Amino acid sequence: MPLKTLLQYGLPGFPLALLSLPVYVYVPQLYTASYGWSLTAIGLILLASRVADAFFDPWFGAWLDKQQHPARFALIFTLATLPVNLGFWLLFHPLQTVPAISLCAGLLLVYLGFSSATIALQSWGAILGNTPQTRLQLTSAREFAGLCGVITASLWTYWFSAAAVFQILMVSCVLSVFAIWRLYASHPAEIVHASSQNAGSSHSLSIFQANTTRHLYQTFALNGIASAIPATLFLFYAADVLQRPDQAGLLLLLYFVCAALSVPAWNCLGRRWHEARAWQAGMWLAIASFSTVCFLGAGDLLLFALVCAGSGFALGADLALPSALLAGVIRQQQDSGQEGWYFGLWNWLSKMNLALAAGLAMPLLSLAGYAPGRQDAQAVSALILAYAVLPCALKLLAWLRLYRSSLTTV
């Protein structure tokens, strides 16, 4: 696929990922530090917001499939940038008298805009990727641009603040809208063809009757929860176990830089071995890297940096390979025209993973005796158990599910 097409398709992933780091990582800390809210309260609000938003995704995906307008993907992405920017502003510039309203409204706006844009972009990629090689190229381009967005957010928040990301978010949205309309101008025929195929298609959970579809979604759920828990607890681990909160930004930067550098390698392995086998290798690398966290303590900054590098390299597999596998499953099941439905369910599952991580891990940590700032043995042990041991166990279950599946035939 021409480099120009890959750049046009991948660029819109930049602003979508740019907001993810501040929202997922800095919002819990901001509202606990500024307003004294408990981890349980923050976790429950994140859980409720995610659940409310998650049930929008399958409905939106089915609705998108039924639209006959050839420019539907470009239109949806353009409109979705509006609530994304407004919600981000509310989250980091809350109304001082009613911060709870700002938090809830900001989360819902960001999530709904993010959902609409993401499903449109993923569905479009599944239509354009008509061979295993092109679907890997498109997925890798989108995720590489997304990682560049996260890296930019890491650098920006390190030098400025999480709220300052809003400035670059607005600029990148404008550039991405321009790129996505150029992509539509270059590839209208594929979208017209998809529009004719989806006419009269029915959307139901019967897609899970196919073993390949069911196994892929099960693997994605287990693997997603395993990845979401450490992301939710990272800042607390850096502050209360490593006792180096001042270096959290650099550690995050290292993690995402290694992930971005690894995407071409996982792309190559996916084409050489098959996406499913390459993903299995990525899971093993993640387990091998992250299991060493159990043996680290205060001041082990260099050793933890090596963990961040190894697990960041493994993250590239989680980003580049599963979506490409899903595009292959859609074609294998001859369900072209239902890309929005498949990716709507896919995003619903992804959000439930994040909701469970935030809504369950934080309250369970509170019950186990941990609170931000506590560094006694009981609190540290509870945090390490939740941050490292539980994710490794879930990642191993995900590997077993993928190993016993039939996805290598996709």
Side-chain angles (χ1 to χ4, degrees), residues 40-170:
T40 300
I42 291 288
L44 290 176
I45 290 175
L46 288 171
L47 176 62
S49 301
R50 266 302 184 190
V51 169
D53 166 59
F55 286 95
F56 165 80
D57 289 2
W59 171 85
F60 177 80
W63 174 84
L64 183 63
D65 285 337
K66 294 177 182 177
Q67 305 311 302
Q68 299 298 306
H69 197 291
R72 65 187 185 277
F73 298 122
L75 284 169
I76 290 298
F77 185 89
T78 302
L79 294 174
T81 60
L82 301 177
V84 163
N85 281 281
L86 178 59
F88 195 92
W89 175 263
L90 274 175
L91 285 175
F92 290 97
H93 299 84
L95 302 172
Q96 296 302 312
T97 53
V98 281
I101 293 178
S102 296
L103 176 60
C104 295
L107 286 172
L108 285 175
L109 285 170
V110 165
Y111 290 161
L112 291 176
F114 184 92
S115 298
S116 303
T118 300
I119 294 171
L121 195 60
Q122 290 172 331
S123 301
W124 197 351
I127 291 171
L128 293 175
N130 53 11
T131 67
Q133 183 176 4
T134 55
R135 76 190 185 208
L136 259 176
Q137 285 181 308
L138 288 165
T139 303
S140 297
R142 183 182 68 235
E143 299 303 334
F144 181 81
L147 286 167
C148 289
V150 173
I151 291 168
T152 302
S154 299
L155 290 170
W156 206 257
T157 52
Y158 180 74
W159 282 313
F160 300 102
S161 67
V165 176
F166 178 74
Q167 303 161 6
I168 196 169
L169 175 63
M170 291 186 65

Side-chain angles (χ1 to χ4, degrees), residues 177-242:
V177 166
F178 174 77
I180 208 165
W181 280 101
R182 291 297 304 159
L183 179 64
Y184 166 69
S186 303
H187 296 272
E190 290 89 342
I191 303 184
V192 172
H193 176 64
S195 296
S196 64
Q197 282 189 313
N198 66 34
S201 60
S202 60
H203 299 88
S204 69
L205 297 180
S206 62
I207 62 172
F208 293 110
Q209 291 177 359
N211 287 336
T212 51
T213 306
R214 188 170 63 254
H215 294 166
L216 178 57
Y217 278 82
Q218 289 170 348
T219 302
F220 182 69
L222 290 167
N223 189 73
I225 298 172
S227 300
I229 291 174
T232 304
L233 302 178
F234 169 77
L235 291 179
F236 303 111
Y237 179 85
D240 296 329
V241 178
L242 292 179

